[in-house]
């Protein structure tokens, strides 16, 4: 078992104010694998002060110099990639093959994209007699969840560093270990002290202190909509900017001319990725009413290829959920689907065979789901797909938009113009047409209660900038 006893503040590994710690559990074995400090408001104070003191130097550093430091971090991240993939599999439960590609691989792609962007981005522009300057917003609090822990942290850290901001990061208490490796990497890169600080801790303590700290200029938060609303309230006291990446209840619309087999397979894959713990997962599959039987057969057939297993097995496609609490929450949703009269097509509440330990849930598919059901309305954050039927295109769009969320979605059609027409009517931040792949340079973020602001690419950089006009 590994013990992290210190926090990374002002370029040093510091003894926290209290000896309280947080146990990190491997969700596949239920064993405690590490402890990290439960940071307090005293630690947050020290970290914010360090970030404030480092701000002038870092924000006035030339972009090319900032890119140089970020390149050092990139090199070390690549070198420690295999270690990070295994670590995240052990704290989160994502199958190792996927962890290598996504959990360790994506942060590298994102960091590299910001290094490149620093070479091209115009931090000023002339508009008539004005010179418009884009200046770093200042000290950034980066508060992140557990489902893509390093990716979500890197999205914020890379963009904030590129912008010239300094950072205090607070990772999720469930998966904090990767953030300690990132802090080690940053420490070895020689980044000036105080530019990046790490305070692990619980949301109610370290998180609240950070989000309400008057010397924090921006809170960049990824997590649940409920906590996002709380962050807004806390930050409002000092009119601090917030960027919020929140929950989702995304729909894939399968139009009647779509390649149904490919669409069903891909929608299941989106829904079951990371055991369904993906904010942008397509968790509602909307299909033409008269294609129900055909889709049900395909859904059953493809769901059977997702057998929960030890995530360290290189063939594993689906592992456990992150915690006992998350498993129980998902099982409650499956029970509610049954109680509300949805048709259980695959999976269910019984634990999967042959796995006496671990927070596993059977991948589950419900048919004949209607819009009033809880499983159609709330974010489950587990491997549960709801199949809903529609009579015509307009009804499909109406059902897709009938949610407080607006993060993602999909449209499937043999006719790309028809798919685009439908996609334009969806009230969400991104829509994948016929399985269009993730683009790390395209803006990512939500409409409605899925959030405020955008991450990735130049839109993500601009979140961390203020705009000033000089008139001549
Ligand atoms: P969460 O909201 O419980 O926690 C997220 C982070 O906020 C954690 O670090 C937590 O410690 C901290 N926190 C909790 N209470 C706080 C408070 N009162 N003040 C300050 N910080 C606090 O979310 P989670 O369970 O870790 O993650 C799952 C949620 O995140 C899902 O709803 C999912 O949809 C969402 N999510 C959204 C995106 C996106 O980009 N839109 C990406 C990933 C996850």
């Amino acid at each position: 078992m590994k013990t992290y006893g210190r926090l990374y503040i002002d370029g040093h590994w510091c003894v926290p104010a209290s000896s309280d710690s947080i146990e990190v559990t491997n969700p596949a074995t239920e064993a405690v694998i590490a402890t990290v400090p439960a940071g307090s408001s005293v630690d947050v104070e020290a970290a914010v002060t360090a970030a404030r003191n480092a701000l002038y130097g870092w924000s006035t550093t030339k972009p090319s110099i900032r890119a140089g430091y970020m390149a050092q971090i990139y090199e070390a991240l690549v070198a420690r990639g295999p270690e990070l993939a295994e670590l995240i599999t052990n704290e989160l439960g994502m199958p190792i093959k996927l962890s290598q590609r996504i959990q360790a691989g994506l942060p590298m792609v994102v960091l590299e994209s910001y290094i490149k962007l620093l070479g091209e981005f115009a931090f000023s522009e002339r508009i008539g007699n004005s010179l418009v300057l884009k200046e770093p917003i200042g000290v950034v609090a980066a508060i992140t969840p557990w489902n893509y822990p390093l990716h979500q942290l890197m999205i914020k850290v890379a963009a904030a560093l590129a912008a010239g901001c300094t950072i205090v990061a607070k990772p999720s208490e469930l998966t904090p270990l990767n953030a300690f490796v990132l802090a080690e990497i940053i420490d070895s890169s020689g980044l000036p002290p105080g530019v990046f600080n790490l305070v692990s801790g619980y949301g109610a303590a370290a998180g609240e202190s950070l989000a309400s700290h008057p010397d924090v200029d921006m809170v960049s938060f990824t997590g649940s909509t409920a906590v996002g609303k709380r962050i807004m309230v806390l930050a409002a006291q000092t009119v601090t900017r917030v960027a919020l990446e929140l929950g989702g209840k995304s729909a894939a619309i399968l139009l009647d001319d779509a390649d149904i087999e490919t669409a069903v397979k891909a929608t299941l894959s989106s829904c079951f990725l990371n055991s369904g713990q993906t904010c942008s997962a397509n968790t509602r599959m909307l299909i033409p009413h008269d294609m129900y039987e055909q889709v049900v057969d395909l859904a059953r057939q493809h769901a059977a290829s997702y057998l929960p297993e030890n995530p360290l097995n290189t063939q594993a496609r689906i592992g456990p959920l992150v915690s006992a609490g998350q498993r129980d929450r998902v099982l409650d949703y499956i029970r509610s689907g049954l109680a509300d009269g949805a048709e259980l097509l695959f999976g269910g509440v019984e634990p999967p065979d042959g796995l006496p330990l671990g927070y596993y849930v059977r991948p589950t598919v419900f048919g004949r789901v209607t819009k009033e059901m809880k499983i159609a309305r709330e974010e489950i954050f587990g491997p549960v797909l709801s199949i809903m039927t529609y009579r015509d295109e307009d009804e499909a769009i109406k059902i897709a938009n009938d949610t407080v969320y607006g993060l993602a979605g999909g449209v499937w059609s043999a006719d790309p113009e028809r798919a685009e027409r439908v996609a334009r009517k969806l009230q969400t931040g991104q829509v994948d047409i016929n399985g269009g792949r993730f683009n790390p340079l395209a803006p990512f973020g939500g409409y409605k209660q899925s959030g405020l602001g955008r991450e990735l690419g130049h839109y993500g950089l601009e979140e961390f900038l203020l705009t000033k006009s000089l008139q001549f």
Side-chain angles (χ1 to χ4, degrees):
M1 193 177 87
K2 178 128 184 160
T3 304
Y4 286 97
R6 293 175 182 237
L7 300 169
Y8 188 66
I9 297 173
D10 207 14
H12 303 286
W13 288 99
C14 302
V15 178
S18 108
S19 57
D20 293 349
S21 63
I22 298 173
E23 291 186 338
V24 180
T25 301
N26 179 330
T29 62
E30 303 183 24
V32 175
I33 52 170
T35 63
V36 299
S40 66
S41 58
V42 179
D43 304 309
V44 165
E45 188 63 41
V48 173
T49 302
R52 174 62 55 194
N53 291 341
L55 183 61
Y56 179 77
W58 184 248
S59 62
T60 52
T61 303
K62 278 192 185 143
S64 59
I65 305 285
R66 296 206 291 274
Y69 283 111
M70 290 165 68
Q72 297 283 318
I73 296 170
Y74 177 80
E75 295 298 320
L77 194 65
V78 171
R80 294 185 72 174
E83 176 197 346
L84 276 161
E86 194 172 330
L87 184 67
I88 297 173
T89 287
N90 287 334
E91 56 183 342
L92 170 68
M94 188 190 234
I96 186 69
K97 270 253 169 71
L98 293 168
S99 268
Q100 286 160 351
R101 187 160 57 80
I102 302 173
Q103 302 284 3
L106 212 46
M108 297 174 200
V109 172
V110 169
L111 180 57
E112 195 179 27
S113 76
Y114 278 105
I115 296 168
K116 277 206 189 117
L117 189 58
L118 269 179
E120 307 155 6
F121 189 78
F123 283 91
S124 65
E125 67 170 316
R126 289 216 166 258
I127 302 181
N129 65 320
S130 300
L131 178 64
V132 179
L133 307 177
K134 306 270 178 74
E135 300 184 332
I137 190 162
V139 174
V140 171
I143 302 178
T144 49
W146 43 262
N147 55 334
Y148 292 88
L150 188 60
H151 171 62
Q152 285 142 347
L153 187 56
M154 184 56 80
I155 284 184
K156 300 178 191 313
V157 169
L161 286 179
C165 296
T166 58
I167 302 147
V168 180
K170 196 216 75 70
S172 166
E173 54 273 37
L174 290 172
T175 57
L177 304 180
N178 59 88
F180 279 80
V181 174
L182 179 64
E184 287 168 9
I185 287 173
I186 288 178
D187 187 46
S188 66
S189 75
L191 194 74
V195 173
F196 173 86
N197 306 274
L198 173 69
V199 179
S200 53
Y202 290 108
E208 293 242 345
S209 300
L210 203 45
S212 56
H213 199 294
D215 232 9
V216 164
D217 299 301
M218 172 173 171
V219 185
S220 179
F221 170 81
T222 302
S224 60
T225 295
V227 175
K229 290 176 183 173
R230 173 75 185 144
I231 299 274
M232 284 185 96
V233 170
L234 294 172
Q237 306 315 307
T238 42
V239 198
T240 297
R241 182 187 288 183
V242 292
L244 304 173
E245 295 289 344
L246 309 177
K249 190 72 196 176
S250 303
I253 300 178
L254 278 53
L255 296 172
D256 53 11
D257 61 348
D259 171 350
I260 292 293
E261 165 123 35
T262 306
V264 170
K265 198 173 161 191
T267 305
L268 279 169
S269 163
S270 158
C271 183
F272 293 164
L273 179 68
N274 202 17
S275 299
Q277 304 164 121
T278 301
C279 52
S280 56
N282 288 327
T283 54
R284 295 180 294 153
M285 183 159 74
L286 312 192
I287 60 163
H289 184 74
D290 53 11
M291 293 173 100
Y292 184 74
E293 296 306 332
Q294 184 194 350
V295 168
V296 161
D297 284 348
L298 287 168
R300 280 204 178 105
Q301 186 191 317
H302 288 297
S305 68
Y306 288 87
L307 271 186
E309 58 180 305
N310 184 331
L312 285 174
N313 294 349
T314 51
Q315 298 312 312
R317 301 184 77 192
I318 189 162
L321 296 177
V322 70
S323 66
Q326 190 64 17
R327 175 200 54 197
D328 295 346
R329 200 171 155 260
V330 171
L331 290 177
D332 279 349
Y333 275 111
I334 297 176
R335 283 186 200 102
S336 98
L338 294 169
D340 285 347
E343 184 183 3
L344 183 66
L345 299 172
F346 195 86
V349 288
E350 297 78 23
D353 299 330
L355 293 164
L357 284 177
Y359 310 129
Y360 294 94
V361 172
R362 283 175 194 267
T364 296
V365 181
F366 279 112
R368 303 197 192 284
V369 176
T370 55
K371 63 186 169 66
E372 305 76 27
M373 293 180 190
K374 212 165 140 182
I375 55 168
R377 310 204 71 78
E378 297 184 14
E379 184 183 49
I380 299 175
F381 231 52
V384 183
L385 180 70
S386 294
I387 301 179
M388 306 172 79
T389 59
Y390 64 83
R391 300 271 173 195
D392 58 31
E393 206 176 282
D394 285 345
E395 194 190 11
I397 294 163
K398 202 168 157 215
I399 297 171
N401 288 335
D402 182 19
T403 163
V404 297
Y405 294 110
L407 190 57
V411 181
W412 293 84
S413 168
D415 173 357
E417 279 175 27
R418 183 181 178 205
E420 183 182 327
R421 195 178 66 230
V422 171
R424 283 175 180 270
K425 292 182 181 161
L426 297 184
Q427 295 156 357
T428 72
Q430 44 269 306
V431 184
D432 300 333
I433 293 175
N434 290 329
R437 65 191 157 79
F438 178 71
N439 176 358
L441 298 178
F444 184 95
Y447 280 28
K448 302 195 277 186
Q449 293 190 32
S450 287
L452 290 175
R454 292 292 177 267
E455 295 195 304
L456 293 173
H458 74 84
Y459 288 89
L461 180 62
E462 284 170 28
E463 288 291 320
F464 295 93
L465 297 170
L466 290 173
T467 308
K468 179 190 282 176
S469 302
L470 310 183
Q471 280 63 242
F472 293 87

